[in-house]
Amino acid sequence: MTPQIASEKNRALCLMAPVVPVLVLDDAGQAAGLARALVAGGLPALEVTLRTPAALDAIREMASVPGGVVGAGTLLTPKDVEMAKAAGAQFGVSPGATDVLLDACEANDLPLLPGAATSSEAMRLLERGYTVQKFFPAEANGGVPALKAIGAPIPQVSFCPTGGVSLKNAPDYLGLSNTLCVGGSWVAPKDMIAAGDWAGITALAAEAAKLQR
């Protein structure tokens, strides 16, 4: 898969809803219920971070939920890419980008949303053909003012800011011309996941799905 095709697929993915839930799961048995709750609330694109032993099994469970598009976050190595693709991930997300990781995603036909934190990183990815990128860590990296400043000289790149994004500040990011959507974990709090409060999570997802952009 070429970077251009990956960017087209990720642009379509980011436009599905204003928020992409960033999910950390310790129990794959909760994955399907969580996915159904988020999809029911209007958030179909789901990022499962590869930060727990249950992550790959969670992706497998979520991949079978109707209406959902599940991806793997925190991709760092070619092995991560291969395992995520085998588990059923339809897209990948990384906190940064290396040539080795980009090569692996392209070779495995996994559309990657690569992370960039500076103008130089955004330019390097743009040079390779990635016009849709993840701005990470968003708040620690200067937040809305920083992303707006990057967008002025590099309007060709669109972003999904992630890291410190909340219901409170999401509208400010979504108001930027270079922001397609935001990534956030607030729509799936750990305590609600642990309690199996799917109705509560659906309500949070529905609230997030109504955000304007």
Side-chain angles (χ1 to χ4, degrees), residues 1-15:
M1 179 179 294
T2 67
Q4 291 78 11
I5 292 175
S7 291
E8 289 172 10
K9 287 183 176 293
N10 279 325
R11 182 175 296 275
L13 179 87
C14 288
L15 292 175

Side-chain angles (χ1 to χ4, degrees), residues 12-201:
L13 179 87
C14 288
L15 292 175
M16 293 178 76
V19 178
V20 175
V22 179
L23 309 171
V24 181
L25 283 162
D26 295 309
D27 181 1
Q30 299 168 319
L34 175 59
R36 285 191 291 268
L38 291 166
V39 171
L43 303 182
L46 312 170
E47 176 192 341
V48 178
T49 61
L50 300 187
R51 300 180 191 177
T52 68
L56 291 170
D57 286 334
I59 289 172
R60 290 188 186 92
E61 292 296 321
M62 288 188 173
S64 64
V65 173
V69 181
V70 63
T74 324
L75 296 180
L76 303 177
T77 67
K79 185 177 180 181
D80 289 340
V81 174
E82 292 164 5
M83 291 190 302
K85 184 70 184 286
Q90 293 177 258
F91 67 95
V93 185
S94 61
T98 66
D99 287 331
V100 170
L101 182 65
L102 294 170
D103 288 344
C105 286
E106 291 165 18
N108 284 275
D109 288 329
L110 187 68
L112 178 69
L113 188 64
T118 66
S119 295
S120 293
E121 291 174 359
M123 287 171 61
R124 185 175 178 280
L125 285 166
L126 176 62
E127 190 175 72
R128 182 153 173 161
Y130 288 88
T131 57
V132 179
Q133 303 172 18
K134 169 183 174 178
F135 182 58
F136 179 82
E139 281 294 285
N141 209 38
V144 172
L147 188 53
K148 182 178 181 180
I150 289 175
I154 316 174
Q156 303 95 323
V157 179
S158 297
F159 292 93
C160 170
T162 305
V165 180
S166 65
L167 181 63
K168 183 178 180 180
N169 62 18
D172 296 327
Y173 282 103
L174 293 169
L176 298 177
S177 60
N178 62 339
T179 296
L180 296 175
C181 66
V182 299
S185 58
W186 83 88
V187 294
K190 274 197 167 186
D191 58 341
M192 293 178 76
I193 294 175
D197 185 2
W198 307 138
I201 288 175

